[in-house]
Amino acid sequence: MHIGEIIKFDIVNGLGVRLSVFVSGCRNQCDHCFNKQAWDFNYGYEYTEKMEDSILEELRLPQYDGLTILGGEPFEPENQPQVKQLIKRVRKELPDKNIWVYTGYNYEDLQVGGKCYIDGTTDVIIHNIDVLVDGKFEVDKKDLTLKFRGSSNQRLINIPASIENGKVVLL
Amino acid sequence: MCMILKRDGRKVPVNRQKIVLATLKAFQNTPDITFDNDKVISLAESIADSIDFTREELYVEQIQDRVIDALKNNGYPEVAESYSNYRRKRTIRRERGSSLMKEIGEKVTASNVVNQNANVDEHSFGGRRGEANSSLMKYYALNNVMSKKAKYNHIDNLVYTHDLDYVPVGAHNCLSVPFDSLLRNGFNTRQADVRPANSINTAMQLVAVLFQLQSLQQFGGVSATHLDWSMIPYIRKSLMKHYIANYLKFSHEFMYIDILSMVMNTYEDEAGVVRCEFDDWVDDHKQDFFNDTGLTAEDFFIGSEKLDKKLYNQALFDTVIETQQAAEGMYHNLNTLQSRSGNQLPFTSINYGTCTIPEGRLMTHALLMGSIKGVGKLHKTPIFPCGIFQCMKGINRKEGEPNYDLYRLALKSTARRLYPNYVNCDVPMQKDWVKFDRDNRRKIVTELSDERKANLIKQITEDESLKDILLLDVVDGELVVIEEELPIEIASTMGCRTVNGADINAVDSIKKNIENIADGKDPYDNVISAAQKDGRGNVCPVTIILPTLAMEAKNSNPDNVIDEFMDKLDYYIHDAKDQLIERFDHICSQNPASAKFMYENNAMSGYVESEGVRSAMRHGTIVIGQLGLAECLQILIGCDHTDPKGMELAKRIEQLFKDRCAEFKQRYKLNFGVYYTPAESLCFTAMNKFKEKYGEIPNVSDREYFTNSMHVPVWKEIDPFTKIDIESELVGYHSAGAITYIELDTAAQHNIDAIDKLVQYAMDKNIPYFAINVPNDTCLECGHTGLLNDTCPVCGSDNIQRLRRVTGYITGNYTTAFNLGKQAEVRDRFKHTTLMNLGDC
């Protein structure tokens, strides 16, 4: 996996103050994407253990409410293993920080039998995050007044509540 | 006939006699020369003869040149010198006069609008007249009022005298209006006596009226220091009024009177509140109501158990509506009432947020709702007043504290409207100021004679209201000092950042007040505490232009630039002190009739008629400000205070300011203070002057403005927490005002939690006054707000108002109302998006 950039003290991509990690590589390739350079799986810097340590170290600061992973596409099969590794580590070492993930796929694609589902990986990611922002960016549904997302088809999903209720619960 | 062309373009016939007289005058004005009148006259005649008068036109300069040449050639070089000196002086005087006239011409025609003050409409009739007048006043101040030292320090970009145009008349700067006493007692204006307020609606109308009146007595801003507390009595009066009205409705007395006319016949009272005859009818029945029910005015407050539940609930409902209307009315008034000959709105600020009594909470809630809602049809962001939320530990900082809900509402308003800003009620210096008062008070009480003590104990026991005036109580038969912080003492600020610290001259007032009351006399004056904010303000400020001093130090002693600079700084801090005392004395020499409203109504506290203006002014602050610490450090050591090396020197510089001001305060018994200057037009004009002299220097003068006071340069790519960290290291040195800003992306509107983090972080770091800048563009067609490009993304209109903050306040469209320096600064403001350096990972 490659990382395009990491924004410190981000207040745009999720509630509170966030450390936002942009992973590289995306096959969704939405029209009017804001981050086209990240479609390339080799954009940016290779994800290393040293980088993961730096992320954890930064996120540890009390100013951060949590981590946001976006891209690119965190749920491309090439990216999922290391996304899972990062998320598991944050959960274990920094249990007070919440985790948001942005995807161009739908929540349903990430369920058992869904087109992005990787057994033992996707389910671990989903079970360890707090919020999933899902759906492609659709330019005709673009709305600047929306919270934390670009077009009205995209959803802010409360993951723990959705798992508990067995259906999508919005934030 | 030959005509002479004069400099002003007039043509006059040649006059030989004038040439002769001018030559003679030159001889008379040359010192140490003996001459023969007749000889000179014949020389002058010969000069006149040598001029070719057959030409149609001659310039006056040509004739003067001929005179000088002739004098030199005939053995009178010193007379030639004296003649040309005289001519040079005349030229300077003439040009000075004409450049003043040129400037006045520009102001009168609004042909060179510079937006010196973003709040003044320089295009309006009032603005044009006012600006032209201000040019004349500045000229007069420099040449006829100020000392040579003050004048040349100002002109040479060293120590800047603020609001020069108000120097001649000797007006003071700003004031926290004592609303508690003015509303309780009523007040006089030139035309009317205004009765004490009897409802929340009237009280809030009067707040706007009082702001307006006071702003005409001075040149700076006006503030309310604890508006939530101040409004408690009037919300209670409204509750009582509504309760009685509802009670009377149940009495059915109205069935046989002309109730229709009474409801329909409305009129405006002296505060501009619309009333009807029914209201008067209710007032007239007040005593009957009290007699019938056995209730008294003291029974009316939110949560009172003595009242009939049903009538109380109805009355409360009416009171809440009235309070919300009153708050909205105030926003409307403060954004429409023009002041100072119609060219500007008064700079108004309101502090609120610490009152946990239900009436106070209701007020804060209404003020915040009004701010969030906006004013007018499109719900535009209110530009005035500058809202300031008072953050206080145990009251509104954490979940579970009584006013935490109001703090969250404040954050929501900030995200959308830039206001409120946040003042920190828990900073160490605030505690020191209250302690200064109580320590001195305790000492005064200890030193009282036993007889006076006994008298005080007796009087306080009989009249509880003395406790609030003297801050003394009787416990177990002993006099004790009330330690609790009063609402008038709670940390508050002027919108720009000016604060009132410990008042060294209050000690004298307090001592006399305690002694007078002990002796059964009237109090000496109306000063209550050395830490009170109400009735006090800044009298006058100066600002030291640090980069100029740094350049001078570098040029005069390049080998030891830092020591040289520190010596120079010390020298100019002393000059600043002299200039302030000079201006303070001039202000104190004014007739109290110049600010009749202020003195007659005791709006400025401490005024004692027999002692004159100084008795009040001495409680205000006089402050030494600074501009361009960042650029100064760049000149001295090649880095600013975002670098530890720069910070070390920055602290040394601030320590000197602090030490000297503390010294001056003791020595001159005046409230000297260190001030982190807002510098609105100064950041731009000082930079222009600097560039003229020193040219463009990288990181120093390669922009259009100097960095404000001790701020981190706005273009520095650092994250907001680091900016707070850096500026927090320098806030302990000031005593008269500082602000820290953060720039956020427009998406912050949706992210109250992020704003909360920043405010909490700043408060924890003892930042005294904190403001968050969120781009605030409003589409004037559909009302959409946020950061808009050329056109509105919702409706496509290009009619967009762009509000940005300047010097603590926000102001109309920044692309037209800001001066060029501030416009450039807004463009450069870095939005704090910082990336992790992945190359190192």
Side-chain angles (χ1 to χ4, degrees):
Chain A
M1 184 167 75
H2 277 64
I3 302 294
E5 60 188 25
I6 299 178
I7 299 181
K8 301 205 284 186
F9 306 111
D10 185 11
I11 59 156
V12 178
N13 298 297
L15 262 181
V17 178
R18 318 205 60 84
L19 185 65
S20 293
V21 178
F22 290 77
V23 306
S24 297
C26 175
R27 297 192 178 86
N28 271 318
Q29 309 197 342
C30 305
D31 201 15
H32 287 82
C33 172
F34 78 104
N35 195 13
K36 274 186 185 165
Q37 70 260 31
W39 291 354
D40 176 359
F41 280 83
N42 291 312
Y43 175 70
Y45 298 83
E46 200 184 339
Y47 187 77
T48 59
E49 204 166 315
K50 197 177 160 207
M51 188 189 284
E52 196 171 279
D53 290 342
S54 304
I55 292 172
L56 268 286
E57 191 189 336
E58 176 72 19
L59 189 59
R60 202 178 299 276
L61 293 175
Q63 291 94 297
Y64 286 108
D65 289 285
L67 173 75
T68 297
I69 302 175
L70 55 177
E73 176 52 63
F75 286 99
E76 293 299 353
E78 294 88 335
N79 291 336
Q80 283 199 35
Q82 275 157 315
V83 167
K84 170 184 141 187
Q85 183 188 316
L86 173 62
I87 284 173
K88 275 185 73 178
R89 222 182 127 191
V90 170
R91 265 289 173 262
K92 188 168 163 237
E93 294 179 31
L94 303 169
D96 294 338
K97 309 282 179 180
N98 60 48
I99 302 173
W100 286 42
V101 180
Y102 280 72
T103 177
Y105 296 107
N106 292 326
Y107 178 58
E108 292 74 13
D109 299 331
L110 310 175
Q111 306 299 315
V112 184
K115 66 177 172 189
C116 300
Y117 184 77
I118 303 170
D119 199 21
T121 303
T122 315
D123 44 352
V124 176
I125 295 176
I126 292 292
H127 276 86
N128 282 292
I129 68 176
D130 300 279
V131 176
L132 183 77
V133 186
D134 81 340
K136 285 186 72 149
F137 173 65
E138 294 179 19
V139 71
D140 55 326
K141 290 179 184 154
K142 179 180 167 182
D143 180 353
L144 286 170
T145 63
L146 294 170
K147 283 186 188 182
F148 305 120
R149 57 206 198 278
S151 59
S152 58
N153 59 300
Q154 296 173 319
R155 299 177 292 185
L156 292 180
I157 301 174
N158 178 339
I159 292 297
S162 301
I163 292 171
E164 201 184 312
N165 291 291
K167 61 173 186 195
V168 171
V169 177
L170 298 181
L171 195 65
Chain B
M1 187 180 186
C2 176
M3 302 293 279
I4 305 290
L5 269 175
K6 301 197 74 165
R7 287 183 185 79
D8 56 11
R10 278 181 301 150
K11 284 183 194 176
V12 295
V14 69
N15 183 345
R16 277 179 64 104
Q17 199 51 36
K18 272 198 169 172
I19 300 171
V20 175
L21 281 176
T23 313
L24 197 58
K25 229 179 185 168
F27 274 87
Q28 286 162 351
N29 289 334
T30 309
D32 308 326
I33 188 171
T34 48
F35 60 93
D36 178 339
N37 249 15
D38 293 343
K39 260 191 181 169
V40 171
I41 291 173
S42 73
L43 172 68
E45 294 280 355
S46 74
I47 295 170
D49 288 341
S50 73
I51 296 168
D52 179 7
F53 290 119
T54 59
R55 286 172 57 180
E56 256 179 44
E57 286 177 353
L58 277 171
Y59 287 98
V60 70
E61 288 89 349
Q62 290 175 309
I63 294 175
Q64 290 173 338
D65 289 347
R66 191 66 63 84
V67 173
I68 290 169
D69 287 348
L71 288 169
K72 279 186 193 158
N73 295 337
N74 285 285
Y76 299 109
E78 61 275 62
V79 182
E81 178 72 23
S82 145
Y83 185 86
S84 61
N85 272 346
Y86 170 75
R87 186 177 161 190
R88 201 176 311 127
K89 272 190 199 156
R90 284 282 308 218
T91 310
I92 291 170
R93 198 174 309 155
R94 196 168 40 240
E95 282 179 356
R96 199 197 278 158
S98 74
S99 74
L100 173 66
M101 282 306 144
K102 185 169 161 266
E103 195 182 322
I104 288 182
E106 284 174 357
K107 301 293 186 191
V108 166
T109 54
S111 55
N112 183 21
V113 168
V114 293
N115 293 320
Q116 209 182 144
N117 175 332
N119 182 32
V120 175
D121 181 359
E122 292 180 37
H123 291 284
S124 69
F125 287 137
R128 280 154 54 184
R129 188 194 142 280
E131 289 297 301
N133 172 45
S134 139
S135 298
L136 183 61
M137 283 297 135
K138 285 177 183 169
Y139 179 84
Y140 188 81
L142 287 170
N143 296 297
N144 299 67
V145 182
M146 290 157 71
S147 64
K148 287 258 173 328
K149 182 197 278 184
K151 172 182 171 175
Y152 287 108
N153 277 345
H154 183 87
I155 291 175
D156 295 340
N157 221 19
L158 290 159
V159 184
Y160 181 87
T161 294
H162 287 269
D163 300 277
L164 201 56
D165 47 344
Y166 281 93
V167 166
V169 296
H172 85 283
N173 181 6
C174 62
L175 194 82
S176 295
V177 181
F179 284 108
D180 296 351
S181 53
L182 288 170
L183 294 175
R184 185 173 59 235
N185 305 329
F187 52 91
N188 306 319
T189 69
R190 227 160 50 166
Q191 290 81 10
D193 296 332
V194 180
R195 284 177 304 172
N198 257 320
S199 69
I200 182 62
N201 205 349
T202 311
M204 289 295 271
Q205 290 279 343
L206 291 180
V207 165
V209 170
L210 286 164
F211 269 148
Q212 161 98 336
L213 285 166
Q214 178 55 35
S215 74
L216 297 170
Q217 314 287 303
Q218 50 172 59
F219 60 81
V222 281
S223 76
T225 66
H226 56 290
L227 197 57
D228 45 351
W229 294 88
S230 300
M231 289 302 131
I232 295 172
Y234 310 102
I235 292 179
R236 289 182 178 168
K237 284 186 177 188
S238 283
L239 182 72
M240 182 170 81
K241 179 188 75 178
H242 292 301
Y243 188 96
I244 298 175
N246 291 333
Y247 175 85
L248 291 173
K249 284 177 191 167
F250 279 96
S251 75
H252 292 203
E253 233 182 276
F254 53 81
M255 287 180 75
Y256 305 106
I257 56 176
D258 184 6
I259 194 75
L260 178 64
S261 307
M262 288 171 75
V263 174
M264 300 298 281
N265 288 347
T266 59
Y267 67 95
E268 263 187 37
D269 72 3
E270 69 265 19
V273 173
V274 177
R275 288 172 61 91
C276 63
E277 287 173 7
F278 177 73
D279 297 326
D280 298 333
W281 187 71
V282 172
D283 282 350
D284 293 342
H285 282 72
K286 211 191 259 177
Q287 203 47 54
D288 297 341
F289 163 81
F290 286 143
N291 295 342
D292 291 352
T293 59
L295 292 167
T296 66
E298 281 70 48
D299 295 324
F300 289 89
F301 54 89
I302 297 178
S304 174
E305 300 280 340
K306 278 200 178 173
L307 305 176
D308 174 79
K309 265 278 157 286
K310 206 165 194 173
L311 288 174
Y312 166 79
N313 281 331
Q314 283 175 336
L316 182 60
F317 179 84
D318 294 340
T319 304
V320 170
I321 287 185
E322 189 188 335
T323 305
Q324 292 183 357
Q325 266 174 349
E328 280 191 20
M330 187 204 64
Y331 283 105
H332 177 79
N333 283 337
L334 296 184
N335 285 289
T336 51
L337 50 86
Q338 300 289 326
S339 174
R340 296 185 189 138
S341 311
N343 58 0
Q344 61 175 297
L345 293 166
F347 274 98
T348 51
S349 313
I350 53 171
N351 293 262
Y352 52 82
T354 60
C355 183
T356 56
I357 295 166
E359 289 84 352
R361 283 178 42 78
L362 184 60
M363 193 67 245
T364 297
H365 183 262
L367 289 168
L368 287 168
M369 291 305 291
S371 171
I372 292 169
K373 227 191 242 180
V375 288
K377 193 171 71 197
L378 291 170
H379 302 287
K380 280 159 71 173
T381 296
I383 290 168
F384 288 109
C386 171
I388 300 155
F389 191 85
Q390 297 167 296
C391 285
M392 189 183 262
K393 279 183 188 160
I395 301 293
N396 53 33
R397 291 280 307 275
K398 286 200 198 96
E399 208 155 357
E401 294 177 352
N403 282 2
Y404 183 74
D405 56 336
L406 297 172
Y407 163 73
R408 292 294 296 189
L409 198 60
L411 296 174
K412 192 175 160 192
S413 176
T414 302
R416 209 172 145 71
R417 303 294 185 189
L418 282 86
Y419 291 149
N421 303 337
Y422 298 84
V423 67
N424 193 342
C425 296
D426 301 297
V427 286
M429 71 179 111
Q430 165 70 16
K431 308 281 162 210
D432 292 346
W433 295 338
V434 177
K435 188 170 177 297
F436 172 82
D437 177 84
R438 302 303 189 268
D439 287 350
N440 277 291
R441 196 175 296 270
R442 221 172 281 115
K443 193 162 161 266
I444 292 166
V445 171
T446 318
E447 288 168 1
L448 286 175
S449 67
D450 288 344
E451 186 193 351
R452 275 177 164 161
K453 274 187 198 160
N455 282 346
L456 276 175
I457 290 171
K458 185 163 167 273
Q459 290 196 55
I460 292 171
T461 318
E462 282 166 10
D463 179 2
E464 294 250 315
S465 72
L466 283 175
K467 286 184 192 171
D468 300 333
I469 299 169
L470 301 175
L471 305 193
L472 297 176
D473 200 355
V474 179
V475 177
D476 300 331
E478 289 287 323
L479 269 184
V480 292
V481 169
I482 295 174
E483 300 294 337
E484 206 181 322
E485 193 178 71
L486 304 179
I488 55 165
E489 294 175 319
I490 295 169
S492 69
T493 178
M494 289 279 165
C496 70
R497 79 200 63 184
T498 300
V499 296
N500 297 313
D503 172 11
I504 191 163
N505 291 318
V507 182
D508 169 59
S509 296
I510 292 163
K511 185 163 187 278
K512 288 178 180 160
N513 283 334
I514 291 179
E515 289 172 355
N516 277 12
I517 288 175
D519 297 345
K521 293 190 227 158
D522 284 340
Y524 167 73
D525 63 16
N526 68 340
V527 170
I528 292 178
S529 156
Q532 78 182 59
K533 310 286 188 253
D534 289 50
R536 297 177 62 207
N538 172 251
V539 179
C540 54
V542 292
T543 289
I544 295 181
I545 317 288
L546 296 174
T548 309
L549 300 194
M551 282 310 287
E552 288 204 346
K554 199 170 182 179
N555 291 340
S556 65
N557 192 355
D559 299 330
N560 194 3
V561 63
I562 293 176
D563 288 341
E564 180 72 20
F565 171 80
M566 293 306 292
D567 286 349
K568 272 196 192 302
L569 179 61
D570 202 11
Y571 180 87
Y572 284 104
I573 288 176
H574 280 82
D575 268 12
K577 174 259 296 173
D578 293 342
Q579 290 176 223
L580 284 172
I581 292 178
E582 174 189 320
R583 190 173 183 184
F584 183 81
D585 286 342
H586 180 60
I587 290 170
C588 291
S589 73
Q590 301 307 314
N591 188 324
S594 319
K596 218 169 179 171
F597 165 80
M598 179 167 85
Y599 293 114
E600 271 190 0
N601 297 294
N602 280 308
M604 185 181 270
S605 43
Y607 181 60
V608 177
E609 204 181 334
S610 58
E611 291 178 25
V613 167
R614 186 178 294 266
S615 61
M617 287 296 164
R618 66 182 184 141
H619 301 290
T621 64
I622 54 178
V623 298
I624 303 180
Q626 54 184 273
L627 179 70
L629 176 66
E631 288 83 358
C632 166
L633 294 169
Q634 288 281 1
I635 296 166
L636 296 176
I637 53 172
C639 67
D640 59 32
H641 49 310
T642 54
D643 184 292
K645 207 175 114 208
M647 181 56 85
E648 199 188 314
L649 182 54
K651 286 184 173 172
R652 212 177 130 191
I653 291 171
E654 300 306 343
Q655 188 66 47
L656 185 63
F657 273 100
K658 185 180 176 177
D659 292 346
R660 288 291 176 259
C661 280
E663 250 174 71
F664 298 155
K665 188 170 179 174
Q666 291 304 327
R667 192 185 322 154
Y668 299 97
K669 293 282 179 261
L670 288 173
N671 292 309
F672 276 94
V674 183
Y675 185 50
Y676 290 154
T677 310
E680 179 179 349
S681 72
L682 184 59
C683 82
F684 176 55
T685 54
M687 176 57 96
N688 280 350
K689 275 193 186 173
F690 185 93
K691 277 186 187 167
E692 263 170 37
K693 193 159 180 192
Y694 302 109
E696 212 170 283
I697 304 168
N699 288 324
V700 174
S701 54
D702 50 358
R703 290 184 164 78
E704 285 104 325
Y705 53 89
F706 278 127
T707 299
N708 245 297
S709 59
M710 68 4 153
H711 283 171
V712 171
V714 295
W715 42 267
K716 255 289 144 32
E717 295 187 12
I718 56 169
D719 69 82
F721 296 99
T722 308
K723 184 175 193 289
I724 293 170
D725 286 341
I726 293 169
E727 292 183 5
S728 74
E729 287 197 50
L730 294 175
V731 294
Y733 298 91
H734 81 93
S735 56
I739 190 170
T740 285
Y741 296 122
I742 289 300
E743 292 291 321
L744 290 187
D745 188 278
T746 175
Q749 269 195 43
H750 301 304
N751 204 339
I752 309 296
D753 288 347
I755 295 181
D756 171 44
K757 265 263 155 65
L758 286 163
V759 174
Q760 298 284 0
Y761 191 82
M763 295 299 121
D764 287 343
K765 289 270 173 177
N766 283 327
I767 295 285
Y769 181 36
F770 183 63
I772 292 172
N773 293 336
V774 185
N776 187 296
D777 298 342
T778 301
C779 171
L780 295 180
E781 301 294 334
C782 73
H784 175 69
T785 58
L787 175 62
L788 311 187
N789 291 324
D790 296 342
T791 55
C792 170
V794 175
C795 76
S797 161
D798 61 359
N799 188 6
I800 289 164
Q801 180 196 49
R802 300 178 190 279
L803 298 181
R804 298 293 182 273
R805 190 188 302 271
V806 59
T807 72
Y809 294 96
I810 50 175
T811 319
N813 226 349
Y814 90 91
T815 54
T816 54
F818 281 21
N819 68 54
L820 294 173
K822 278 289 167 199
Q823 282 187 34
E825 196 222 88
V826 168
R827 283 195 299 275
D828 290 350
R829 287 178 187 172
F830 176 68
K831 294 277 185 317
H832 301 302
T833 305
T834 34
L835 301 178
M836 264 176 78
N837 188 351
L838 297 177
D840 291 347
C841 291

